[in-house]
Amino acid sequence: IDLWGPFDKCRHMIEAAELGADKFLALLKRHGLQIGAWTCYRDGKNEKVFNEFAEFIGACGGGIVVRGTQYEGTHPDKLEGSIRSFYDRIADQIELAKKHNCRLALENHAYAILDSPESFALFTQHNPAPGQVGFSIAPYHLQRRKADVAEVIRQHGDKLLFFYAWQLGEGTDQLPGHGPADFAPWMQALAEVGFDHWMTPFMHGELPAAEMAQAVGKSFQYLN
């Protein structure tokens, strides 16, 4: 499972941390589950979500921590400086990641400083801790820019830590096997770079549980 920190209505990581690592890990084991990723986006104006949960995540064994970047300074003339500034701002989180056996997976997002193929190249160029910081690719946002998703994977696959199986669309058309995107070239690119981390069918929006289970089941069949 991908356990989310406090974000909008989601409070799963808070509840897990309140149980404590031992009880939470026992709960996962009881249900035959394991953690694939920990998602730590900002909660309102709080950009330090990972800082608050790093010790708990480490006590659970660490792992991949997905987080965003920032939504300022996207003008091409300011992009490189914004990226360097961002890395300076998360220096403490990089150190926490090292301490607690984690790797930070930065996700591309519309209107963020990690958005275009060019920004991926600059993030790679200025990465102060390649062993600790990599990428989480969201094809949905790359498609909005009409970028070549497979090429982004090939260019940065050695730093790819998490992959959203998510396409540009509305409703369930965001899911693999539902909307029009052909995932085969993306899957081929993932195979070429030796991607061996987690992938998740993903969409924005909430459906009734049975309807969502059926839709995601179709996605798994398509991806397989």
Side-chain angles (χ1 to χ4, degrees):
I1 60 174
D2 174 12
L3 195 75
W4 280 54
F7 182 86
D8 194 26
K9 299 175 183 177
C10 181
R11 294 292 183 266
H12 300 149
M13 206 178 296
I14 293 176
E15 296 173 4
E18 287 174 348
L19 282 176
D22 290 343
K23 289 184 178 179
F24 178 59
L25 292 174
L27 181 66
L28 291 177
K29 184 177 181 180
R30 191 182 315 151
H31 293 281
L33 299 172
Q34 60 179 306
I35 292 291
W38 310 84
T39 294
C40 294
Y41 288 116
R42 70 172 65 190
D43 179 28
K45 294 184 178 180
N46 178 15
E47 298 183 15
K48 299 291 187 179
V49 174
F50 175 59
N51 301 57
E52 297 178 11
F53 292 96
E55 186 173 352
F56 167 71
I57 293 172
C60 291
I64 303 299
V65 176
V66 180
R67 58 152 297 153
T69 55
Q70 70 185 45
Y71 296 91
E72 302 86 20
T74 57
H75 189 281
D77 293 341
K78 299 179 179 179
L79 182 58
E80 190 166 6
S82 295
I83 289 171
R84 289 198 300 265
S85 176
F86 170 76
Y87 275 133
D88 289 341
R89 281 172 46 203
I90 67 165
D92 60 333
Q93 295 192 23
I94 293 172
E95 289 304 312
L96 281 173
K98 291 178 182 178
K99 180 178 179 181
H100 296 291
N101 193 32
C102 296
R103 300 178 74 185
L104 304 180
L106 307 179
E107 189 227 349
N108 60 294
H109 201 285
Y111 312 112
I113 57 175
L114 181 59
D115 186 17
S116 65
E118 295 77 15
S119 65
F120 272 89
L122 288 171
F123 264 93
T124 298
Q125 176 184 336
H126 295 288
N127 189 343
Q132 234 60 52
V133 181
F135 296 120
S136 170
I137 290 182
Y140 177 102
H141 296 298
L142 288 171
Q143 286 183 298
R144 286 180 60 139
R145 298 189 64 99
K146 303 189 185 308
D148 186 333
V149 176
E151 187 59 26
V152 172
I153 293 170
R154 291 189 181 96
Q155 290 293 325
H156 305 285
D158 61 333
K159 294 293 179 289
L160 181 54
L161 303 176
F162 193 83
F163 187 81
Y164 287 98
W166 181 27
Q167 63 179 299
L168 188 61
E170 299 292 333
T172 54
D173 275 354
Q174 299 170 70
L175 291 170
H178 291 258
D182 180 5
F183 277 64
W186 305 350
M187 300 289 278
Q188 179 63 35
L190 290 170
E192 288 175 13
V193 300
F195 179 70
D196 62 354
H197 296 291
W198 292 104
M199 170 191 302
T200 180
F202 187 84
M203 62 172 278
H204 281 310
E206 299 176 12
L207 303 176
E211 188 177 345
M212 179 62 85
Q214 184 178 13
V216 172
K218 179 180 177 180
S219 292
F220 277 122
Q221 291 176 359
Y222 173 78
L223 292 171
N224 284 332

